[in-house]
């Protein structure tokens, strides 16, 4: 028999005991380093009501139990392109089948594959407890390496994404040292909205693995807004735009390389949007 | 989830169609439940962290890593593993067959995970594209095959099933894109019959031990222990160099129910020392005063499986004092540096040297000289099977079952450690899930041997991925300085090689590396003046030992990269420069050895000429276009050669192969040349069958077991096809001679085995038969038996390294095409063309598999692999190539007959990765000018080199 649990009961367990939450297990088990698993965890997969993606009111609601594969296989509005691209870059099919998007956020790795794409979607995080529900911006949810604002009695129940962004265009790129099963050297996500004259009316840009928490590059976003999405953007990304990133040297790459690669990738993504806009215009 | 905090919960699910109930803690890993509770040993555990995918299973049809799945999460679901799927699922049957036919399984440890992932794909997509296969299988690592045959098998599985009609084939022949075998022809009395022998020499038959591997039935080191065996856990140093003292060990045992005993150096009845080269044995089973590297064993806990958990291990009473550690050879060679071993001055383990002519004078007089320094890091073998086995005491004998590359050497070492005669120990090799050199040294064996001896109960052990990476041998880090000169005509004048190798805390195969490298550092080229000096340095790091090539791949990087610089300086095409300088018959090697007919490098290089020419022009066209369009991609081609002496360097290394015929007519081959995936079970049997002159299906093979198979030496030094192959051939010939003598028949007779009799047909005479029931049965149960040995003829090296180190060398040349993103420094491989002189291709399908697998390891060495002690002790920080990282590989099999090789065959296993890394580095330089001197060529290093080159 499948284990089925009511959300209310789950929140009560969290209130009563200092219980760790298990989602897909793809971060929990490796972090054990072969140690014995805890004898008691709260298993998010046993909460059926958290396992769906739905449009609720003005927001797309991704439940805490939704796996990357579920997202990949679900028809979604255009703006989810970047998140879907990120989903395909998560580990492997095996990991995508088990791991949840919410689990990726709660694990709060600097190289979390889901964060840049969700940052450009202005994602908000719904935290529930016996005391009620609060919602925080993703940019405030993750506070540092392996650290979030989640309190011990709280459960992340959903990611909320404004449906107002639905027809925006998004892209995502992950750079690593091999093809599959790779922790990124750097990741970039870009969202833009253009009007009928191909003028950029909204832009969001986020970079992962270049700071303790993935960051939006607001200066670059501001520079883009109001510009025409065409070849004039060819050299718009400068080193200064990356000044709030703080990459480190590690086994995957040097800090200096991360900045250089970020600049190249972001410029290419912007050029890609410009090419598409031009192609659309000539079509 | 049950709110009650009970230790165990009842969980029910359907496993391979059968309903099962288990009572276990809810968050137990599904792998542990499947393997330990439900005896589902076809689910393999390679990393316990989702990094390798060996444990892939289907949960309600979805492919997941069982090691990352809480058993609670499968309550009420259907769980399918490979052994169940291959009996019921139509896609599974099709795929198993395709894996077997294409040679997609080598050692077989990743095969269950690969097959499960492929089944999940084929169920919805029967004829997937290559890209779809890559995406579906990207989560499963393989270290043997190089993935290409796996891709072929999955892409073509459905079509193969539709086409296949195999009823007329006694022994299945492998599916292949076809290989370009060259013409060198070998004739002999037996050779004329080869084609008539089903499964004989030269035929690309599927591996004889393949069916078990593609159905989940093959048993590896962790699959064979009895369910009630005690478990041994090793306590290891958390520091690179540390003092330690134990607390009250007796109290620890007394206070922890289920702990049977604790073992330390004081419990060793024999000597607390081992090592693969007797004069250099310096490694303790348990450290005595100080631990000399992070991960060194100091003690072991032996306990019942059900009480073992991390709390019990954490409670082990030991205190540590961290000491100053030398992590690099510079640290260890600093003036006044403390000594890793008190008696080893300057922390020098040993030196190696080969000297011919006068290098300095020749370089001074050379028209052109290039010079460079190159550096490589520790490389981890990363076989997907961590070390595992079990031991039991049987009266006054000890039996060990587990993975190994060398049962007899292991037996002799254990005898010394346990203070027992060698014949009191039996080592029976299970299937070995990859070795590549590291499973030559003792690792897990002494702990379970000692534990079983002391407790008189069966004891098992399985290394975690972390302890496998921390404690077992690695490829030697190297620092090399090389100078090479040429005259105005483009002929090499001199090569001077100086190499420093970090041998880690213990000797292991350090002396072998120090000796092999100077013999090989010239590459397969003629050098009138040559000098190579090597030093092996002790440090406080994991011991470096044997890894496919014993230091030669590192040396080839320096030599082959400098060849490109030299050719450019001379204005000579890089391939032409190599062909012009290639070693030829009747020319002296660096050690003064001369071969009259078997030198095969030139045919390897010339076989690549037309591809080189056409790629040279397409690549320059591509780059012209990219430059004009300001595109960031640049293509390049690279070429490099390699050679490798087969067998021990100037030391005896005999193999013995035994065979017998039972009175019922069964022919038994005692095949003791351990198959770690490379295929000795198949090729040794093919050679024996050809020599005996019977179809391969008539032969019953007995696998490596010191009680059953005579010593066929170690699976190392690319020696099994050559050395054990010769022994097998001699055994086959001797058995044939016995039969012909008994029947008084002609040497060209055809021999057939029937129940209780042998029928001999001599074309000119009436059919003869031998009634086997009339012959005397010996102690082994045979009516006819033989045991033949072969030891390669070599001559000792003098103080200048002059002599005949090997009877045979094999030769290779690789051509690679790749693409560099000059703004990101990332490298995308486009394709390999790999020419290998194997003397005679005993089994072309297995040869292709070796070539592809070796190239994959060479790709790792060149582009991504670096083991950093204490930092990359898992398979997500230590990267090996995935299925998406190995491009198409064209294998070109060259056959230059060798007079010493069985049927003319030469070894191949290690040769295959020697040219790969330098070919890649040369292609990167060709594409964008970037010269990489410290491997691996990760994107950051390549980009920085590009910027350095253009600055």
């Amino acid at each position: 028999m499948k284990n089925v649990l009511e959300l209310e009961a789950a929140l009560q367990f969290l209130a009563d005991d200092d219980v760790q939450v298990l989602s897909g297990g793809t971060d929990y088990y490796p972090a054990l380093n072969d140690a014995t698993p805890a004898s008691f965890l709260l298993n998010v997969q046993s909460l059926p009501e958290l396992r769906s993606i739905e449009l609720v009111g003005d927001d797309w609601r991704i439940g805490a139990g939704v796996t990357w594969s579920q997202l990949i296989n679900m028809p979604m509005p255009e703006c989810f392109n970047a998140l879907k691209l990120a989903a395909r870059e998560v580990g492997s099919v095996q990991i995508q089948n088990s791991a949840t998007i919410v689990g990726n956020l709660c694990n709060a790795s600097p190289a979390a594959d889901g964060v840049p794409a969700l940052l450009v979607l202005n994602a908000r995080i719904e935290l529930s407890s016996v005391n009620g529900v609060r919602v925080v911006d993703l940019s405030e949810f993750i506070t540092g390496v392996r650290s979030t604002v989640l309190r011990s009695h709280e459960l992340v129940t959903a990611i909320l994404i404004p449906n107002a962004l639905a027809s925006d265009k998004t892209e995502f790129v992950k750079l690593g040292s091999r093809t599959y099963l790779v922790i990124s050297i750097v990741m970039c996500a870009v969202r833009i909205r253009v009007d009928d004259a191909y003028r950029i009316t909204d832009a969001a840009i986020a970079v992962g693995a270049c700071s303790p928490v993935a960051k939006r590059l607001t200066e670059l976003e501001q520079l883009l807004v109001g510009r025409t999405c065409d070849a004039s953007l060819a050299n718009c990304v400068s080193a200064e735009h990356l000044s709030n990133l703080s990459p480190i040297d590690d086994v995957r790459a040097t800090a200096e390389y991360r900045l250089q690669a970020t600049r190249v990738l972001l410029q290419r993504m912007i050029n890609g949007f410009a090419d598409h806009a031009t192609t659309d215009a000539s079509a | 989830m049950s709110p009650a905090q009970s230790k165990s919960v009842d969980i029910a699910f359907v496993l391979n169609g059968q309903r099962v109930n288990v009572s276990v803690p809810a968050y137990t890993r599904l792998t542990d439940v499947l393997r330990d509770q439900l005896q589902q040993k076809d689910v393999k555990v390679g990393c316990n962290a989702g990094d390798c995918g060996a444990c892939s299973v289907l949960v309600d049809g979805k492919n997941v890593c069982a090691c990352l799945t809480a058993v609670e999460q499968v309550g009420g679901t259907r769980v399918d593993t490979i052994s169940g799927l291959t009996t019921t699922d139509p896609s599974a049957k099709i795929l198993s067959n395709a894996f077997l036919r294409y040679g997609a399984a080598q050692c077989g440890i990743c095969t269950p995970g690969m097959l499960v992932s492929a089944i999940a794909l084929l169920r919805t997509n029967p004829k997937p594209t290559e890209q779809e296969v890559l995406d579906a299988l990207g989560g499963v690592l393989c270290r043997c095959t190089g993935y290409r045959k796996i891709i072929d098998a999955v892409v073509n599985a459905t079509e193969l099933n539709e086409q296949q009609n195999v009823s007329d084939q006694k022994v299945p022949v492998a599916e292949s894109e076809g290989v370009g075998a060259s013409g060198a022809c070998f004739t002999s009395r037996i050779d004329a019959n080869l084609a008539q022998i089903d499964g004989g020499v030269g035929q690309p038959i599927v591996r004889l031990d393949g069916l078990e591997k593609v159905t989940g039935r093959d048993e590896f080191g962790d699959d064979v222990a009895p369910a009630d065996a005690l478990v041994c856990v090793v306590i290891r140093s958390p520091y690179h160099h540390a003092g330690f003292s134990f607390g009250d060990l007796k109290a620890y045992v007394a206070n922890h129910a289920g702990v049977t005993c604790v073992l330390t150096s004081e419990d060793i009845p024999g000597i607390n020392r081992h090592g693969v080269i007797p004069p250099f044995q310096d490694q303790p089973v348990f450290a005595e005063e100080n631990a000399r590297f992070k991960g060194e064993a100091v003690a072991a806990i032996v306990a019942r499986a059900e009480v073992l958990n991390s709390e019990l291990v954490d409670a082990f009473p030991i205190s540590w004092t961290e000491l100053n550690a030398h992590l690099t050879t510079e640290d260890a060679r600093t003036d006044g540096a403390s000594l890793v071993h008190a008696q080893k001055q300057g922390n020098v383990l040993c030196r190696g040297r080969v000297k011919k002519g006068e290098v300095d004078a020749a370089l001074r007089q050379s028209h052109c000289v290039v010079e460079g320094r190159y550096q490589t890091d520790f490389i981890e073998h990363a076989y997907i099977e961590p070390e595992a086995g079990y031991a039991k005491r049987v009266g006054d004998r000890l039996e060990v079952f587990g993975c190994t590359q060398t049962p007899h050497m292991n037996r002799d070492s254990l005898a010394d450690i346990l203070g027992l005669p060698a014949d009191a120990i039996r080592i029976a090799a299970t299937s070995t899930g990859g070795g590549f050199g590291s499973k030559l040294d003792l690792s897990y064996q002494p702990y379970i041997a000692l534990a079983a001896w002391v407790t008189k109960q069966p004891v098992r052990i399985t290394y975690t991925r972390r302890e496998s990476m921390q404690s077992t041998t690695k490829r030697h880090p190297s620092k090399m300085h090389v100078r090479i000169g040429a005259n105005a005509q483009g002929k090499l004048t001199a090569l001077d090689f100086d190499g420093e190798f970090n041998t880690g805390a213990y000797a292991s195969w350090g002396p072998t590396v120090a000796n092999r490298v100077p013999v090989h550092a010239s590459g397969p080229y003629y050098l009138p003046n040559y000098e190579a000096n090597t030093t092996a340095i002790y440090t406080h790091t994991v011991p470096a030992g044997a890894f496919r090539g014993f230091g030669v791949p590192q040396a080839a990087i320096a030599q082959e990269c400098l060849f490109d610089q030299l050719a450019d300086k001379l204005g000579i095409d890089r391939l032409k420069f190599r062909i012009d300088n290639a070693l030829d018959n009747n020319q002296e090697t660096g050690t003064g050895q001369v071969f009259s007919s078997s030198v095969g490098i030139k045919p390897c290089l010339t076989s690549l000429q037309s591809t080189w020419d056409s790629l040279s022009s397409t690549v320059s066209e591509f780059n012209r276009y990219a430059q004009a369009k300001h595109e960031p991609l640049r293509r390049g081609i690279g070429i490099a050669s390699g050679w490798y002496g087969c067998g021990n360097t100037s030391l005896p290394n005999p193999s013995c192969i035994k065979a017998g015929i039972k009175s019922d007519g069964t022919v038994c081959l005692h095949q003791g040349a351990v198959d770690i995936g490379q295929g000795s079970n198949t090729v040794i049997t093919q050679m024996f069958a050809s020599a005996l002159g019977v179809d391969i299906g008539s032969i019953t093979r007995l696998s490596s077991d010191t009680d059953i198979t005579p010593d066929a030496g170690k699976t190392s030094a690319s020696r099994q096809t050559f050395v054990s192959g010769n022994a097998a051939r001699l055994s086959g010939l001797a058995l044939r001679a016995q039969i012909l003598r008994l029947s008084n028949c002609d040497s060209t007779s055809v021999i057939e085995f029937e129940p209780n009799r042998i029928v001999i047909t001599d074309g000119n005479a009436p059919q003869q038969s031998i009634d086997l029931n009339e012959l005397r049965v010996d102690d082994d149960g045979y009516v006819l038996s033989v045991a033949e040995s072969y030891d390669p003829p070599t001559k000792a090296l003098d103080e200048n390294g002059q002599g005949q180190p090997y009877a045979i060398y094999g030769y290779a040349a690789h051509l690679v095409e790749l693409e560099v993103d000059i703004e990101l420094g990332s490298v995308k491989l486009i394709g390999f063309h790999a020419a290998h002189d194997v003397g005679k291709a005993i089994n072309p399908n297995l040869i292709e598999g070796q070539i592809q697998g070796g190239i994959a390891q060479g790709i790792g060495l060149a582009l991504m692999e670096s083991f950093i002690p204490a930092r990359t002790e898992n398979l997500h920080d230590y990267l090996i190539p995935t299925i998406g990282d190995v491009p198409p590989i064209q294998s070109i099999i060259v056959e230059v007959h060798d007079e010493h090789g069985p049927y003319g065959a030469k070894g191949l296993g290690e040769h295959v990765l020697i040219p790969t890394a330098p070919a890649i580095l040369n292609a990167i330089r060709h594409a964008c000018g970037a010269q990489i001197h410290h491997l691996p060529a990760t994107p950051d290093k390549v980009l920085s080199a590009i910027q350095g080159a253009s600055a």
Side-chain angles (χ1 to χ4, degrees), chain A residues 33 178-180 257 268, chain B residues 72 135 466 821 824 880 885:
Chain A
N33 279 332
R178 68 176 176 188
T179 310
Y180 299 101
Y257 174 79
R268 285 186 187 176
Chain B
E72 189 201 56
D135 288 343
R466 175 175 301 256
D821 184 322
L824 291 172
I880 66 171
D885 300 303

Side-chain angles (χ1 to χ4, degrees), chain B residues 256-323:
Chain B
H256 290 88
V259 174
T260 312
C261 67
V262 161
L263 301 169
T264 70
S265 62
E266 295 191 355
D267 299 296
I268 293 174
I271 55 166
N272 182 24
R273 198 168 59 244
H274 66 92
V276 285
I277 305 172
F280 291 94
Q281 286 181 342
D282 60 4
Q283 184 163 3
V285 175
F286 294 117
E288 292 178 8
E289 286 174 15
N290 294 339
R292 294 186 176 91
F293 69 93
K294 181 174 186 285
E296 179 162 16
V298 298
I301 303 168
V302 184
R304 291 206 317 270
E306 62 272 23
V307 304
L308 255 180
N309 58 29
S310 356
E311 252 171 72
L312 187 79
V313 177
D314 293 344
F316 185 82
I318 186 166
S319 57
W320 298 95
T321 312
E322 189 176 3
L323 302 170

